[in-house]
Amino acid sequence: MSTSSRAPEPTPAVPASAPTPDPEALSDSAATSDPEPAPAPPRRRHRVRRVVTAVVVVGLLGVTAGAVLLAVDAFSARSALTAAAGRVSTLQSGLADDADRATLAAELTALQQEAASARAHTDGPVWALAARLPVLGPNLDAVARIAAGLDDLVTDVVPPLVDTRLAVGDLERTADGGVDLAPLRDLAPRLAAAQAAVTATTASLAGIDPAELLPEVADPFVQVRARLADVAAAVATADRVAAVAPPMLGVDGPRTYLVLALTNAELRSGGGLPGAGLLVRADAGHVEVLRQVPGVEIGPFTTPVAELDAETAAIFTERPALFIQDVTLTPEFPTAAALAARMWALSQGEEVDGVVATDPVALAHLLEATGPVDVAAPDGDGTVGSSTVRLDAGNAVAILEHEVYSYGADSGAVADAFFGSVVAATVSRLESPDVSPAAVLKAVVAGAEQHRVQLWSAHPEEQARLAGTVVAGTFLSSPRAADAVGVFFDDTISGKMSWYLESSVTYVSSACTPAGRVDTIDVALTSTAPADAAAILPTYVAGWPNGTFVPGTVRTVVRVAGAVGSPAPQLERDGVVLGMDTHPLAGRSMGSGTIELYPGESTTVRIRALASASASTGGGLQPAGTLDLWSTPTAHDGGLRTVPVPVCGPSGNG
């Protein structure tokens, strides 16, 4: 039997030390614990690696794409917001400058498109997710909020504001010659809704602190928010006008008002001295003067007509509650008006629905709309050699503030009666069919913006609406005015030398300090009186000698009040510290000092005032980066200016 040539395979050797596995033991071990997984085959491991790599690559691509999209959106949103901010300013200028309907419509359409674009680029899921990131997130959230707020404003707020401007510009007369206020009244519900939208947007932005944002975001944020604040102020004014003007002009029934004719030839903090009072009735859009009363017939009173608060009495004494001529010593017009209304009621037996104060400069603005008026000359001796005097926008101020005082020994009473006659003649012209109601309103606004037209209502709900507006004169009670600086003048010689006071209140600069923003303001004062004023001017003008001053000088108490809660401002006169009497007044510190100027003499008072902490960093109710300077309106200078100031960081850096 033959055998095969193939060798048998060797049997693997088993080490002597290794025990032979027990099948039963293996069975028990498998029942009590998981066996170690067997290594994956090489092909499967390669597949897993490819999947993981793909996921990582896709994730990186997603993050990169998201970052690119975010960058594109951020760039587009910034561009749209910047363009929209500029468009808001352009639209505001158009509203103020009486742009035509087509121009306003085009500007509004463009603004809405830019605001919608900004919102669209900040309203996606990528932006919402990125807004939760540390550091960068708050900046993206700020941009998104202001884009949404701007879009809401131009959709819900600006259109009724534009319509209000057009309605005011198109005011017409009723068939009986009155002013048709129906279009304005019809806008009241839309403006109330717009005011609610403004409030919501303001609340959304209130929690954002520009100091916590990156400079690239903080700067445009502050600019856009300032523009929004301007729109909000305009809407608030329009809302109040639409709600208050119709009833105050007698749409719901006749109203009577006391009009105080103020003369800037003898200054008071709140304007000029009230020389005459006129009783005016408004009824269904018609306005007429019922009668006029010289100031000397309204009091004086032996006891105060009302109790003044202790702080007011400490600064101004009790004279505002005793003399109609001194009610405007206080810069708070609601206080002055309430005192005047009480004096009128006690002396004339008539309650009034409100008080209006105006001066010759505001009257000159009105004469631009009405045209000239002819008034009987005092004592029948006209200033141009006739029995009547023609007053127009060009000569009214000089005649009423200066020339009228050249008539006779009792020139004070003559001047008061003459001023009242001019006001009455001008009001009568308002009813003329050739006088545009829109032009009249524009003239009133021009006077109000200089604090030369002030208004107070005896009806609490109306007064609440008026408070804080440009006509309210609420320096001590308005929230916005809390951050303002006030510079006020009081003539102390019982003459009419304030006509010769050339004054200017000028913002110089601001500095950011650890204590807050410090604003520097210059008050320049010059006497333009003739060198021989004491000899050639009537005593009623130059002042009666009393041993405390030289007749013919300009003697003025300058009163300066800083922001609420801030220390008293520091003052220097021509580089020398000016001593001031300082008193508290409604949360402020008011300093008072007397400046006496001889004919031709000039001086400069430099004021350094510390802003409040909120105003320094762009907070508060005044638009960020602005400062309101209140002052007494004189014959030659207005009483309100708003100036740009820096926004300081919390550490005192700009």
Side-chain angles (χ1 to χ4, degrees), residues 100-151:
D100 59 68
R101 188 181 298 270
T103 299
L104 291 176
E107 290 292 338
L108 178 57
T109 298
L111 175 59
Q112 290 173 331
Q113 291 172 346
E114 287 155 356
S117 174
R119 187 170 198 162
H121 285 293
T122 58
D123 201 24
V126 174
W127 196 281
L129 183 63
R132 299 182 181 181
L133 296 174
V135 183
L136 184 61
N139 293 273
L140 298 178
D141 178 61
V143 175
R145 284 201 206 181
I146 201 162
L150 182 60
D151 188 40

Coordinates of all heavy atoms in Angstrom, one line a residue, residues 100-151:
D100 N -42.8 120.1 0.5 CA -44.0 119.8 -0.2 C -44.4 118.3 0.1 O -43.6 117.5 0.5 CB -44.0 120.1 -1.7 CG -42.9 119.3 -2.4 OD1 -43.0 118.0 -2.5 OD2 -41.9 119.9 -2.8
R101 N -45.7 118.0 -0.2 CA -46.2 116.7 0.0 C -45.4 115.6 -0.7 O -45.2 114.5 -0.1 CB -47.7 116.6 -0.4 CG -48.4 115.4 0.0 CD -49.9 115.5 -0.5 NE -50.6 116.6 0.2 CZ -51.3 116.5 1.3 NH1 -51.3 115.3 1.9 NH2 -51.9 117.5 1.8
A102 N -45.1 115.8 -2.0 CA -44.4 114.8 -2.8 C -43.0 114.5 -2.2 O -42.6 113.3 -2.1 CB -44.2 115.2 -4.2
T103 N -42.3 115.5 -1.7 CA -41.0 115.3 -1.1 C -41.1 114.5 0.2 O -40.3 113.6 0.4 CB -40.3 116.7 -0.8 OG1 -40.2 117.4 -2.1 CG2 -38.9 116.5 -0.2
L104 N -42.0 114.9 1.0 CA -42.2 114.1 2.3 C -42.5 112.7 2.0 O -42.0 111.7 2.7 CB -43.3 114.8 3.1 CG -42.9 116.2 3.7 CD1 -44.1 116.7 4.4 CD2 -41.7 116.0 4.6
A105 N -43.4 112.4 1.0 CA -43.8 111.0 0.7 C -42.6 110.2 0.2 O -42.4 109.1 0.6 CB -44.9 111.0 -0.4
A106 N -41.7 110.8 -0.6 CA -40.6 110.1 -1.2 C -39.6 109.8 0.0 O -39.0 108.7 0.0 CB -39.9 111.0 -2.2
E107 N -39.4 110.8 0.9 CA -38.4 110.6 2.0 C -39.0 109.5 2.9 O -38.2 108.6 3.4 CB -38.2 111.9 2.7 CG -37.4 112.9 2.0 CD -36.0 112.5 1.8 OE1 -35.5 111.7 2.6 OE2 -35.4 113.0 0.9
L108 N -40.3 109.5 3.1 CA -40.9 108.5 4.0 C -40.7 107.1 3.4 O -40.4 106.1 4.1 CB -42.3 108.8 4.3 CG -43.1 107.8 5.2 CD1 -42.4 107.6 6.5 CD2 -44.5 108.2 5.4
T109 N -41.0 106.9 2.1 CA -40.9 105.6 1.4 C -39.5 105.1 1.5 O -39.2 103.9 1.8 CB -41.3 105.8 0.0 OG1 -42.7 106.2 -0.1 CG2 -41.2 104.4 -0.8
A110 N -38.5 106.0 1.2 CA -37.1 105.5 1.3 C -36.7 105.1 2.7 O -36.0 104.2 2.9 CB -36.2 106.7 0.8
L111 N -37.2 105.9 3.7 CA -36.8 105.6 5.1 C -37.4 104.2 5.5 O -36.8 103.4 6.1 CB -37.4 106.7 6.0 CG -37.3 106.5 7.5 CD1 -35.8 106.3 7.9 CD2 -37.9 107.6 8.3
Q112 N -38.7 104.0 5.1 CA -39.3 102.7 5.4 C -38.5 101.5 4.7 O -38.4 100.5 5.4 CB -40.7 102.7 4.9 CG -41.6 103.6 5.8 CD -43.0 103.8 5.2 OE1 -43.2 103.7 4.0 NE2 -44.0 104.0 6.1
Q113 N -38.0 101.7 3.5 CA -37.3 100.6 2.9 C -36.0 100.3 3.6 O -35.6 99.2 3.8 CB -37.0 101.0 1.4 CG -38.3 101.1 0.5 CD -38.0 101.6 -0.8 OE1 -37.0 102.2 -1.1 NE2 -39.0 101.4 -1.8
E114 N -35.3 101.4 4.0 CA -34.0 101.2 4.7 C -34.2 100.6 6.1 O -33.4 99.7 6.5 CB -33.3 102.5 4.8 CG -32.7 103.0 3.5 CD -32.5 104.5 3.4 OE1 -32.9 105.2 4.4 OE2 -32.0 105.0 2.4
A115 N -35.3 101.0 6.8 CA -35.5 100.4 8.1 C -35.9 99.0 8.0 O -35.5 98.1 8.8 CB -36.6 101.2 8.8
A116 N -36.7 98.6 7.0 CA -37.1 97.2 6.8 C -35.9 96.4 6.4 O -35.8 95.2 6.9 CB -38.2 97.2 5.7
S117 N -35.0 96.9 5.6 CA -33.8 96.2 5.3 C -32.9 95.9 6.5 O -32.4 94.8 6.7 CB -33.0 97.0 4.3 OG -31.7 96.4 4.0
A118 N -32.8 96.9 7.4 CA -32.0 96.7 8.6 C -32.6 95.7 9.5 O -31.9 94.8 10.1 CB -31.9 98.0 9.4
R119 N -33.9 95.7 9.6 CA -34.6 94.6 10.4 C -34.5 93.3 9.8 O -34.2 92.3 10.5 CB -36.1 95.0 10.6 CG -36.8 94.1 11.6 CD -38.2 94.6 11.9 NE -38.7 94.0 13.1 CZ -39.7 94.5 13.8 NH1 -40.3 95.6 13.4 NH2 -40.1 93.9 14.9
A120 N -34.6 93.1 8.5 CA -34.5 91.8 7.8 C -33.1 91.2 8.0 O -33.0 90.0 8.2 CB -34.8 92.0 6.3
H121 N -32.1 92.0 8.1 CA -30.7 91.5 8.2 C -30.4 91.2 9.6 O -29.3 90.7 9.9 CB -29.7 92.5 7.6 CG -29.7 92.6 6.1 ND1 -29.3 91.5 5.4 CD2 -30.1 93.6 5.3 CE1 -29.4 91.9 4.1 NE2 -29.9 93.1 4.0
T122 N -31.2 91.5 10.6 CA -30.9 91.3 12.0 C -32.0 90.4 12.6 O -32.2 90.4 13.9 CB -30.8 92.6 12.8 OG1 -32.0 93.3 12.7 CG2 -29.7 93.4 12.3
D123 N -32.8 89.7 11.8 CA -34.0 89.0 12.3 C -34.0 87.5 12.0 O -35.0 86.9 12.1 CB -35.2 89.6 11.7 CG -36.5 89.4 12.6 OD1 -36.3 89.1 13.8 OD2 -37.6 89.4 12.0
G124 N -32.8 86.9 11.6 CA -32.8 85.5 11.3 C -32.3 84.6 12.4 O -31.8 85.1 13.4
P125 N -32.3 83.3 12.2 CA -31.9 82.4 13.2 C -30.4 82.5 13.5 O -30.0 82.3 14.7 CB -32.2 81.0 12.6 CG -32.4 81.2 11.1 CD -32.9 82.6 11.0
V126 N -29.6 82.7 12.5 CA -28.1 82.9 12.8 C -27.9 84.0 13.7 O -27.1 84.0 14.6 CB -27.4 83.0 11.4 CG1 -25.9 83.4 11.7 CG2 -27.5 81.8 10.6
W127 N -28.6 85.2 13.4 CA -28.4 86.4 14.3 C -28.9 86.1 15.7 O -28.2 86.5 16.6 CB -29.1 87.6 13.6 CG -28.7 88.9 14.2 CD1 -29.1 89.4 15.3 CD2 -27.8 89.8 13.6 NE1 -28.5 90.7 15.5 CE2 -27.6 90.9 14.5 CE3 -27.0 89.8 12.4 CZ2 -26.8 92.0 14.2 CZ3 -26.2 90.9 12.1 CH2 -26.1 92.0 13.0
A128 N -30.0 85.5 15.8 CA -30.6 85.2 17.1 C -29.7 84.3 17.9 O -29.5 84.5 19.1 CB -32.0 84.5 17.0
L129 N -29.1 83.3 17.3 CA -28.1 82.4 18.0 C -26.9 83.2 18.4 O -26.4 83.1 19.5 CB -27.8 81.2 17.1 CG -26.9 80.2 17.7 CD1 -27.5 79.5 18.9 CD2 -26.5 79.1 16.7
A130 N -26.3 84.0 17.5 CA -25.1 84.7 17.7 C -25.3 85.8 18.8 O -24.4 86.1 19.5 CB -24.6 85.4 16.5
A131 N -26.5 86.3 19.0 CA -26.8 87.3 20.0 C -26.7 86.7 21.4 O -26.7 87.5 22.4 CB -28.2 87.9 19.8
R132 N -26.6 85.4 21.5 CA -26.4 84.8 22.9 C -24.9 84.5 23.2 O -24.6 84.0 24.3 CB -27.2 83.4 22.9 CG -28.7 83.6 22.7 CD -29.4 82.2 22.8 NE -30.8 82.4 22.5 CZ -31.7 81.4 22.6 NH1 -31.2 80.1 22.8 NH2 -32.9 81.6 22.3
L133 N -24.0 84.8 22.3 CA -22.6 84.6 22.5 C -22.1 85.6 23.5 O -22.6 86.7 23.6 CB -21.8 84.7 21.2 CG -22.2 83.7 20.1 CD1 -21.4 84.1 18.9 CD2 -21.8 82.3 20.6
P134 N -21.1 85.2 24.3 CA -20.4 86.2 25.2 C -19.7 87.3 24.4 O -19.3 87.0 23.3 CB -19.5 85.4 26.0 CG -19.2 84.2 25.2 CD -20.5 83.9 24.4
V135 N -19.6 88.5 25.0 CA -18.9 89.6 24.4 C -19.6 90.1 23.2 O -20.1 91.3 23.1 CB -17.4 89.3 24.1 CG1 -16.7 90.6 23.6 CG2 -16.7 88.8 25.3
L136 N -19.6 89.3 22.1 CA -20.2 89.8 20.8 C -21.7 89.8 20.9 O -22.3 90.7 20.3 CB -19.7 88.9 19.7 CG -20.2 89.3 18.3 CD1 -19.6 90.6 17.9 CD2 -19.7 88.2 17.3
G137 N -22.3 88.9 21.7 CA -23.7 88.8 21.7 C -24.5 90.1 22.1 O -25.4 90.5 21.4
P138 N -24.1 90.8 23.2 CA -24.8 92.0 23.5 C -24.8 93.1 22.4 O -25.7 93.9 22.3 CB -24.1 92.5 24.8 CG -23.5 91.3 25.4 CD -23.1 90.4 24.2
N139 N -23.7 93.1 21.7 CA -23.5 94.1 20.6 C -24.5 93.8 19.5 O -25.2 94.7 18.9 CB -22.1 94.1 20.1 CG -21.1 94.7 21.1 OD1 -20.9 95.9 21.2 ND2 -20.5 93.8 21.9
L140 N -24.6 92.5 19.1 CA -25.5 92.1 18.1 C -27.0 92.3 18.6 O -27.8 92.7 17.8 CB -25.3 90.6 17.7 CG -23.9 90.3 17.2 CD1 -23.8 88.8 16.9 CD2 -23.7 91.1 15.9
D141 N -27.2 92.0 19.8 CA -28.6 92.2 20.4 C -29.0 93.7 20.3 O -30.1 94.1 20.0 CB -28.7 91.7 21.8 CG -30.0 92.0 22.4 OD1 -31.0 91.4 21.9 OD2 -30.1 92.7 23.4
A142 N -28.0 94.6 20.6 CA -28.3 96.0 20.5 C -28.6 96.5 19.1 O -29.6 97.2 18.9 CB -27.1 96.8 21.1
V143 N -27.9 96.0 18.2 CA -28.2 96.3 16.8 C -29.5 95.8 16.4 O -30.3 96.5 15.7 CB -27.1 95.8 15.8 CG1 -27.4 96.0 14.4 CG2 -25.7 96.4 16.2
A144 N -29.9 94.6 16.8 CA -31.2 94.0 16.4 C -32.3 94.8 17.0 O -33.3 95.0 16.4 CB -31.2 92.5 16.8
R145 N -32.1 95.2 18.3 CA -33.2 95.9 18.9 C -33.5 97.3 18.3 O -34.6 97.7 18.1 CB -32.9 96.1 20.4 CG -33.0 94.9 21.3 CD -33.2 95.3 22.7 NE -32.7 94.3 23.6 CZ -32.8 94.4 24.9 NH1 -33.2 95.5 25.5 NH2 -32.4 93.4 25.7
I146 N -32.4 98.0 18.0 CA -32.6 99.3 17.4 C -33.1 99.2 16.0 O -33.9 100.1 15.5 CB -31.3 100.2 17.5 CG1 -31.7 101.6 17.4 CG2 -30.3 99.8 16.4 CD1 -30.6 102.6 17.8
A147 N -32.7 98.2 15.3 CA -33.3 98.0 13.9 C -34.8 97.7 14.0 O -35.6 98.3 13.2 CB -32.6 96.8 13.2
A148 N -35.2 96.9 14.9 CA -36.6 96.6 15.1 C -37.4 97.8 15.5 O -38.5 98.1 15.0 CB -36.8 95.5 16.1
G149 N -36.8 98.6 16.5 CA -37.4 99.8 16.9 C -37.6 100.8 15.8 O -38.6 101.5 15.7
L150 N -36.5 101.0 15.0 CA -36.6 101.9 13.9 C -37.6 101.5 12.9 O -38.4 102.4 12.4 CB -35.2 102.0 13.3 CG -35.1 103.0 12.1 CD1 -35.4 104.4 12.6 CD2 -33.7 103.0 11.5
D151 N -37.7 100.2 12.6 CA -38.7 99.8 11.7 C -40.1 100.0 12.2 O -41.0 100.4 11.5 CB -38.5 98.3 11.4 CG -39.4 97.8 10.3 OD1 -39.5 98.5 9.3 OD2 -39.9 96.6 10.4

